[in-house]
């Protein structure tokens, strides 16, 4: 974990700051690079930076990071120019640009003691975004041999109204809590599946809630069988490591609303007897990213003291082929009595999620939101950077709105009734597979069968949960922690 980075505020002019690295935002206005905080630099410094911008062809485009020696005029060793892009069409897009500009700069540095950030901060929300981006970009995966050390201290320059004193410190505290939740989620996703399996995941959940107001209880295999959790039992029975259902509870006084969060926690998805191809199977250690996001969201909600009741459900199982594994054509019974014909053991996520959704809705929350690396079809539809949200119209729209505010990309997708018939089977109430085209929507329709009339949204993060490719702005390689910021924003909005 790398959450030791100190966060501080200063209202000093960048010209006079003693620091290792001074990060200065460069915007792209009408195609021209414009230096942030230009007025606070001396004429000589400004001229030197402008000269560097010209010689190096700096544009100010989002994602562009340029490192140059700071020169004798500044009390910094290194000057980093980070692109903030063209003027944003809205406040929340602007905040995401700040998050990314800060993240890009911090991700590009190796072991500085102090990094000072001069970015265009207009209010406390901007300040929080800069701090979040800087911390998220400071994440270094553990254990990573090639990791460059993160900054020890991040100092943020701001003179904007509402960003000094208590209000400023509160914004930094919120940013730290959010970033720690994202980092914790990334860490869990990055763990190897021989280390992270249902039992050890549940043990980590118990450890994590210590010292918070979150209560945790764990249903083990025997209790799951007795409780009729046929989805978790069916999926988990092929593994030597049995399934678990973890329940987390955060109940602040005077909460007016209760939200249940349900996360898919397949600690490894081999496909089961419907075995996946060898190429790429190693990526299926990320199939618990939804459960990791739920765990860290509930803990962060408690740390933030959000005035909303939250119950978190982690549906944990390992999907393995073996002599005891479930077979294609098995008929299982989900909690609550719905029978399912398992046509493909690789469509396991919806089986464990069905059990957990039933358990969650039994408690009559106002809203239930599930998050899962559920379908390859999500990636076909939306790629690796945009997640999907389906569900009842009202909650789906709330998720889209919260994601926008939080700077995550969630796109609304339909649940066409016409596709439901493709899961009809004479053997059971429903099959776990249907029409191939629109596979993400089919999976969403399957889950809908288990939420009754509870207002609900389903988040499919199959692609965005894991970054296979090179790092980008504040997103490292590996686990991304996607969903945490959106869920926290949603909980904050529900408490407001
Ligand atoms: N965990 C996978 C979905 C997935 C694929 C997540 C790629 C991340 C990256 C899920 O359990 C799965 O295997 N789904 C199948 C369903 C199919 C058999 C109906 C799929 O999408 O192919
Ligand atoms: Mn699968
Ligand atoms: Zn899966």
């Amino acid at each position: 974990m790398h959450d030791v980075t100190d966060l501080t505020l200063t209202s000093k002019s960048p010209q006079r700051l003693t620091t290792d690295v001074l990060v200065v935002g460069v915007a792209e206005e009408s195609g021209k690079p414009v230096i942030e905080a230009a007025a606070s630099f001396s004429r000589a410094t400004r001229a030197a930076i402008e000269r560097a911008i010209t010689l190096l062809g700096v544009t100010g485009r989002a994602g562009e990071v340029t490192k140059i020696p700071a020169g004798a005029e500044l009390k910094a060793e290194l000057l980093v120019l980070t692109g903030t892009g063209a003027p944003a069409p809205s406040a929340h897009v602007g905040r995401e640009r700040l998050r990314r500009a800060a993240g890009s700069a911090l991700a590009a540095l190796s072991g500085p003691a102090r990094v000072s950030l001069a970015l265009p901060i207009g209010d406390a929300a901007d300040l929080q975004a800069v701090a979040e981006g800087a911390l998220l970009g400071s994440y270094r995966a553990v254990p990573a041999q090639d990791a460059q050390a993160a900054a020890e201290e991040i100092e943020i320059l701001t003179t904007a109204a509402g960003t000094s004193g208590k209000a400023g410190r509160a914004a930094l505290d919120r940013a730290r809590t959010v970033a720690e939740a994202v980092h914790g989620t990334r860490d869990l996703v990055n763990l190897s599946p021989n280390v992270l399996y249902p039992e050890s995941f549940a043990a980590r959940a118990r450890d994590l809630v210590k010292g918070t107001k979150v209560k945790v209880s764990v249903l083990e295999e025997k209790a799951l069988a007795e409780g009729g959790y046929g989805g978790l039992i069916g999926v988990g029975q092929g593994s030597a490591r049995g399934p678990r259902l973890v329940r987390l509870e955060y109940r602040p006084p005077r909460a007016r609303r209760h939200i249940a969060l349900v996360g898919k926690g397949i600690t490894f998805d081999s496909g089961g007897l419907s075995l996946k191809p060898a190429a790429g199977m190693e990526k299926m250690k990320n199939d618990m990213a939804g459960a990791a996001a739920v765990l860290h969201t509930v803990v962060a909600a408690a740390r933030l003291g959000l005035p909303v009741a939250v119950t978190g459900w982690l549906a944990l199982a390992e999907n393995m082929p073996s002599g005891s594994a479930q077979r294609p054509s098995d008929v299982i019974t989900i909690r609550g009595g719905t029978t399912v014909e398992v046509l493909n053991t690789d469509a396991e996520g919806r089986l464990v999620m069905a059990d957990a959704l039933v358990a969650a809705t039994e408690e009559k929350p106002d809203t239930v939101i599930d998050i899962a690396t559920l379908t390859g079809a999500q990636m076909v539809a939306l790629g690796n950077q945009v997640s999907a949200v389906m569900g009842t119209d009202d909650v789906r729209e709330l998720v889209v709105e919260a994601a926008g505010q939080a700077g995550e990309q969630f796109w609304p997708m339909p649940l066409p009734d016409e596709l439901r018939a493709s899961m009809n089977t004479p053997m059971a109430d429903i099959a776990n597979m249907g029409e191939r085209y629109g596979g993400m929507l089919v999976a969403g329709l399957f889950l809908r069968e288990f939420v009754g009339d509870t207002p609900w949204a389903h988040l499919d993060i199959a692609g965005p949960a894991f970054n296979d490719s090179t790092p980008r702005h504040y997103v490292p390689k590996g686990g991304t922690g996607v969903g945490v910021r959106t869920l926290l924003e949603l909980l904050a909005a529900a408490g407001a």
Side-chain angles (χ1 to χ4, degrees):
M1 302 259 195
H2 300 272
D3 297 322
V4 289
T5 311
D6 264 340
L7 273 180
T8 54
L9 287 175
T10 181
S11 55
K12 277 192 194 156
S13 118
Q15 180 83 41
R16 295 181 35 239
L17 275 180
T18 305
T19 185
D20 292 323
V21 182
L22 176 63
V23 177
V24 175
V26 178
E28 189 183 28
E29 281 174 24
S30 319
K32 286 207 192 75
V34 176
I35 306 166
E36 182 55 32
S40 56
F41 291 112
S42 73
R43 197 180 303 163
T45 306
R46 201 155 65 226
I49 299 175
E50 276 162 1
R51 182 80 180 128
I53 285 177
T54 308
L55 287 172
L56 294 165
V58 171
T59 63
R61 265 198 295 272
E64 182 185 71
V65 174
T66 311
K67 304 178 218 174
I68 47 180
E73 280 275 316
L74 289 171
K75 292 182 186 151
E77 281 182 53
L78 191 71
L79 183 63
V80 172
L81 304 176
T82 187
T84 57
S90 68
H92 70 260
V93 172
R95 287 200 299 275
E96 176 60 5
R97 289 197 184 163
L98 291 176
R99 223 179 256 111
R100 291 183 180 196
S104 298
L106 269 295
L109 293 168
S110 179
R114 179 189 285 181
V115 177
S116 306
L117 293 161
L119 285 160
I121 290 170
D123 57 20
D126 285 350
L127 171 60
Q128 185 180 335
V130 168
E132 278 178 16
L135 290 171
L136 293 175
S138 298
Y139 178 83
R140 302 293 186 263
V142 275
Q145 269 109 39
D146 61 350
Q148 305 177 315
E152 285 168 26
E153 182 193 340
I154 294 168
E155 179 183 54
I156 303 176
L157 285 82
T158 173
T159 50
T163 63
S164 62
K166 245 188 173 172
R169 279 196 302 276
L172 294 189
D173 284 345
R174 283 195 299 275
R176 177 180 292 289
T177 303
V178 170
E180 278 179 6
V182 175
H183 287 192
T185 304
R186 290 172 178 176
D187 283 340
L188 282 174
V189 171
N190 289 336
L191 283 176
S192 308
N194 59 330
V195 174
L196 191 74
Y197 45 94
E199 184 185 7
S200 65
F201 197 137
R204 280 171 186 267
R206 284 194 196 282
D207 278 353
L208 191 71
V209 304
K210 280 184 191 146
T212 74
K213 288 185 174 155
V214 178
K215 287 190 200 141
V216 54
S217 57
V218 180
L219 292 185
E220 306 198 348
E221 252 177 309
K222 192 160 166 284
L224 289 173
E226 285 168 8
Y229 293 88
L232 280 155
I233 293 291
V235 172
Q237 74 190 29
S239 171
R241 293 160 161 167
R244 297 287 186 275
L245 180 63
V246 175
R247 181 179 179 281
L248 304 151
E249 180 184 291
Y250 167 59
R251 292 281 181 281
R254 290 184 302 279
R256 281 182 291 117
R257 300 183 61 78
H258 173 202
I259 301 200
L261 304 176
V262 180
K264 173 176 172 181
I266 299 297
T267 56
F268 188 72
D269 181 12
S270 71
L273 287 175
S274 311
L275 195 65
K276 286 184 182 294
M281 197 195 275
E282 72 283 357
K283 279 167 210 142
M284 282 301 118
K285 71 170 186 176
N286 82 5
D287 213 16
M288 35 52 71
V294 167
L295 170 59
H296 281 282
T297 297
V298 177
V299 170
R303 293 216 168 110
L304 292 167
L306 298 181
V308 56
V310 189
T311 310
W313 300 86
L314 316 181
L316 306 176
E318 186 181 45
N319 189 23
M320 296 291 272
S322 78
S324 61
Q326 65 176 348
R327 292 144 290 251
S329 78
D330 276 4
V331 173
I332 62 175
T333 305
I334 302 299
R335 181 169 171 94
T338 303
T339 57
V340 179
E341 186 183 17
V342 180
L343 291 179
N344 189 321
T345 64
D346 197 12
E348 84 298 337
R350 64 198 75 183
L351 303 176
V352 300
M353 292 298 278
D355 271 341
L357 285 168
V358 170
T361 51
E362 281 169 1
E363 298 182 350
K364 307 229 173 297
D366 296 302
T367 307
V368 55
I369 296 171
D370 78 72
I371 177 163
T373 47
L374 204 62
T375 65
Q378 182 280 325
M379 295 154 82
V380 176
L382 294 172
N384 284 322
Q385 298 187 36
V386 181
S387 302
V389 51
M390 291 146 269
T392 51
D393 293 345
D394 47 350
V395 188
R396 189 193 61 229
E397 288 315 310
L398 286 175
V399 172
V400 171
E401 168 66 21
Q405 290 296 331
E408 293 194 308
Q409 291 181 274
F410 278 81
W411 198 255
M413 285 287 171
L415 290 172
D417 289 322
E418 299 80 358
L419 288 175
R420 169 63 181 84
S422 71
M423 290 179 283
N424 285 346
T425 164
M427 295 302 298
D429 295 322
I430 191 168
N432 77 331
M433 238 183 83
E435 166 79 45
R436 188 167 87 86
Y437 294 113
M440 170 173 63
L441 318 180
V442 171
L445 285 164
F446 183 94
L447 296 184
R448 187 171 77 176
E449 303 278 317
F450 301 92
V451 296
D453 49 19
T454 311
W456 156 73
H458 159 55
L459 280 50
D460 194 336
I461 56 167
F466 200 78
N467 178 20
D468 269 336
S469 140
T470 48
R472 61 186 129 83
H473 49 86
Y474 54 73
V475 179
K477 210 173 156 57
T480 62
V482 73
V484 169
R485 277 156 47 209
T486 295
L487 292 175
L488 282 173
E489 184 69 39
L490 202 81
L491 294 178

